[in-house]
Amino acid sequence: MAHFKPDEPPPHIQLIQMGRAHVVARTVYAAAKLGLADQLASGPKSAAQLAGLLHVHAPSLHRLMRALASLGILTERAEQRFALTALGEALKADAPGSARASVIFSGNPSSQSGWDHVVYSIETGRPGFEKAQGVPFFDYLAHHPEEASLFSEMMVGLHSQEPAAVAEAYDFSVFGTIADVGGATGNMLAAVLSSHARPRGILFDRPHVVTDAPNLLKARGVSDRVTIEPGDFFKSVPTGADAYILSHIIHDWDEDQCLTILGNVRNAMDADGRLLLVEMVLPLGDTPHPGKMLDMTMLVSMGGQERTEVEYGSLLSKSGFRLTRVVPTRSAASVVEAVIA
């Protein structure tokens, strides 16, 4: 007979709660989209005080704020005024971690549209997003700069703990030059160079993606050690580096595309070079891991996937590499190290 803990709801209630989790997500999305946390930054306010500013229906705004208070995002004070909690503070536009950008991007109609076709994705292995929007995910972002900006901000926030954790867990000091392939604005490369004095860096990504990189690299004090090279990793990558970092790149693409990217890296690498994939390596069995739910997002949105160590070994082998070790970090990501086979 199945057993569950006395303090847990019965199984049917747990399943119903899972199935209705979108209600919480959409409620938090509404708060983020309205910029409610920023409106309350100066102190407690009522829905009646905010409705005119936000161009919304005051009684409905009150109901939203009451629901947010039940989630611990707001707290209700006297005279139906609401104040931010510590959780609510993190929803402000300039709060560390970019939670607001992540909530808005995840809740956008375009992002949600892929999940309308999740069963199609299971049936076919194809992205529901592409079925809904008619174009692949990254092509869509290329034509929607506001959403692309939110996505980039979300990625920095979502993986904010990883660069420092990767720089701490892996010894980069043995390399003279490190190429960050698909490195966007240079967040990962800056963390590595800040922690290791010897290496120089090459930041490689599409021209429109690296536009903000000079400011970030300068702010982090490593701009004099980095060369920015615009390009497309489906065509080629820079030669001459001792190590090639691909941080959350391989999980974005289907296997054929991954083999193209990895093949281009292999062609650029010297015989004694190192390939370093920063990814969420999935544990076997029932072990909970954030990568297992992220894997569903990859299926529905982009057609990519998260992998186990064995699956990474197989993919690398097909592209002419040999997996040498997986280095865990204090974040959810690991460093998958490989050499030319």
Side-chain angles (χ1 to χ4, degrees):
M1 184 176 173
H3 296 282
F4 54 91
K5 298 174 184 174
D7 57 341
E8 283 184 346
H12 74 282
I13 296 297
Q14 292 183 51
L15 286 172
I16 290 169
Q17 288 172 343
M18 289 179 191
R20 288 182 53 77
H22 67 283
V23 177
V24 173
R26 301 308 290 173
T27 298
V28 179
Y29 168 77
K33 189 72 174 173
L34 289 169
L36 195 54
D38 293 284
Q39 294 294 338
L40 293 173
S42 59
K45 293 182 181 69
S46 67
Q49 289 173 292
L50 289 175
L53 268 172
L54 298 176
H55 308 290
V56 298
H57 181 236
S60 299
L61 179 62
H62 175 77
R63 293 164 68 179
L64 171 66
M65 294 166 82
R66 182 173 59 193
L68 293 167
S70 78
L71 296 172
I73 294 170
L74 303 181
T75 181
E76 188 167 359
R77 301 274 177 83
E79 300 173 344
Q80 296 192 323
R81 292 178 307 133
F82 291 85
L84 292 173
T85 62
L87 190 59
E89 291 277 351
L91 202 54
K92 292 192 296 189
D94 60 352
S98 304
R100 181 173 183 262
S102 180
V103 169
I104 292 175
F105 184 84
S106 299
N108 265 344
S110 59
S111 299
Q112 290 291 305
S113 69
W115 289 98
D116 292 338
H117 300 285
V118 61
V119 175
Y120 162 84
S121 291
I122 305 297
E123 289 171 342
T124 65
R126 301 295 307 154
F129 182 91
E130 196 168 330
K131 180 174 175 62
Q133 298 296 332
V135 292
F137 180 81
F138 288 109
D139 290 357
Y140 176 89
L141 288 187
H143 292 93
H144 295 81
E146 192 173 320
E147 289 182 63
S149 180
L150 280 171
F151 178 74
S152 294
E153 195 178 340
M154 177 176 78
M155 288 300 100
V156 172
L158 197 61
H159 302 302
S160 60
Q161 296 174 304
E162 287 179 11
V166 168
E168 174 188 282
Y170 190 91
D171 183 12
F172 291 92
S173 65
V174 298
F175 304 122
T177 304
I178 299 167
D180 189 356
V181 176
T185 55
N187 196 37
M188 175 64 73
L189 188 58
V192 168
L193 297 184
S194 297
S195 300
H196 301 275
R198 181 191 171 209
R200 295 185 60 79
I202 299 170
L203 180 64
F204 180 80
D205 212 323
R206 290 164 298 167
H208 72 278
V209 178
V210 296
T211 50
D212 294 330
N215 290 336
L216 185 144
L217 297 170
K218 186 176 181 182
R220 300 288 287 278
V222 296
S223 57
D224 60 332
R225 294 165 60 197
V226 178
T227 303
I228 298 172
E229 293 194 25
D232 180 350
F233 52 50
F234 283 113
K235 295 176 181 175
S236 66
V237 304
T239 58
D242 303 305
Y244 288 79
I245 301 175
L246 281 75
S247 179
H248 298 291
I249 300 299
I250 293 304
H251 80 152
D252 284 341
W253 308 98
D254 66 33
E255 183 164 305
D256 287 343
Q257 291 168 316
C258 288
L259 293 176
T260 298
I261 297 166
L262 291 170
N264 288 336
V265 174
R266 190 184 184 283
N267 290 338
M269 270 177 61
D270 292 334
D272 59 351
R274 290 285 184 278
L275 170 65
L276 307 171
L277 307 181
V278 178
E279 297 284 2
M280 291 188 185
V281 179
L282 302 183
L284 299 175
D286 300 343
T287 308
H289 191 279
K292 292 183 177 180
M293 293 309 296
L294 181 59
D295 187 42
M296 289 300 299
T297 300
M298 304 314 295
L299 170 65
V300 169
S301 298
M302 305 168 187
Q305 69 178 95
E306 308 302 327
R307 292 174 172 84
T308 64
E309 181 174 344
V310 170
E311 289 168 335
Y312 273 114
S314 172
L315 177 68
L316 288 164
S317 179
K318 289 176 186 176
S319 53
F321 287 99
R322 176 173 57 84
L323 192 156
T324 47
R325 58 179 174 145
V326 173
V327 180
T329 75
R330 56 181 169 81
S331 73
S334 297
V335 181
V336 180
E337 182 192 71
V339 295
I340 292 175

